[in-house]
Amino acid sequence: MTRYLYAAFALGLVSVAIPLRAANRPHAEGDRQTKVVWTNDDLDKLHDLGLISIVGREDDERPTSTPQPGLYEKTQDPDWYAAQAAKLRDELEYRQAQLREYRQALDDARNLKESTGGVNLVDEDFAITPEAGIEILQQRVKQAQMELDALEDLARRNDIEPGTLRGQ
């Protein structure tokens, strides 16, 4: 019980002492009576004395940016577009084949036919219902088609012939 009384008394003393100590200190506003405006000349003088450090470049020291000749830009290379388009077309065909096989397996299961394939239950996007599985595969097909469309738009903006993406 006396321990609690001592703790309460100590807290009371601390709460009284903090405002008294703060009242005795000088305020920050009273120290500054005059304002100093620094100019670029003043900063140069301080810099020459080594008192400050100026970081960055001034406008007259800034180098002009000129494109370096010979840099390879893949967005200007028709062969790059052909390779990317072929890769995306292959992925799109793979995704569409996956969707067809999944639908065929579901139709076989619904009609109680003997199927050679089946639904892969260990795949990364396993669906609880057949409809959810079809939806996941349709999203994959749509994503692959969107990537191919984005590549075609980029080629169009960079004036690449449309036949380049088709492998012609």
Side-chain angles (χ1 to χ4, degrees):
M1 174 87 168
T2 57
R3 193 175 358 170
Y4 295 119
L5 183 62
Y6 288 133
F9 182 70
L11 286 176
L13 283 177
V14 168
S15 64
V16 171
I18 289 175
L20 290 176
R21 187 169 180 216
N24 293 335
R25 287 193 173 173
H27 295 288
E29 298 133 14
D31 290 344
R32 292 200 177 200
Q33 295 177 358
T34 60
K35 291 186 177 183
V36 177
V37 177
W38 295 89
T39 63
N40 287 341
D41 296 332
D42 295 332
L43 292 177
D44 288 337
K45 289 177 188 174
L46 290 173
H47 178 63
D48 292 339
L49 295 174
L51 298 175
I52 64 168
S53 176
I54 300 174
V55 179
R57 296 182 178 157
E58 293 184 18
D59 290 338
D60 56 343
E61 294 178 10
R62 189 169 295 157
T64 58
S65 61
T66 57
Q68 295 183 5
L71 286 179
Y72 173 72
E73 289 190 35
K74 64 183 177 184
T75 58
Q76 301 298 325
D77 185 9
D79 294 332
W80 179 81
Y81 282 100
Q84 292 297 315
K87 184 174 117 181
L88 288 173
R89 273 195 310 277
D90 289 344
E91 182 168 340
L92 181 62
E93 288 174 13
Y94 171 73
R95 298 297 183 189
Q96 288 172 340
Q98 261 188 327
L99 181 60
R100 277 193 306 275
E101 290 171 6
Y102 189 85
R103 283 183 174 159
Q104 184 62 44
L106 287 176
D107 286 343
D108 291 346
R110 285 185 181 131
N111 296 330
L112 297 176
K113 292 182 181 176
E114 194 170 314
S115 63
T116 58
V119 178
N120 186 2
L121 301 178
V122 186
D123 200 13
E124 60 191 40
D125 290 328
F126 172 68
I128 300 299
T129 64
E131 292 79 17
I134 289 174
E135 189 174 311
I136 289 170
L137 292 174
Q138 285 174 337
Q139 287 174 353
R140 288 181 183 171
V141 168
K142 188 184 294 185
Q143 179 66 31
Q145 184 64 49
M146 285 173 42
E147 289 175 8
L148 186 59
D149 292 343
L151 183 67
E152 289 174 355
D153 288 342
L154 181 63
R156 196 172 311 123
R157 283 192 305 254
N158 288 315
D159 299 324
I160 302 295
E161 301 266 334
T164 304
L165 279 95
R166 292 187 291 263
Q168 298 175 350

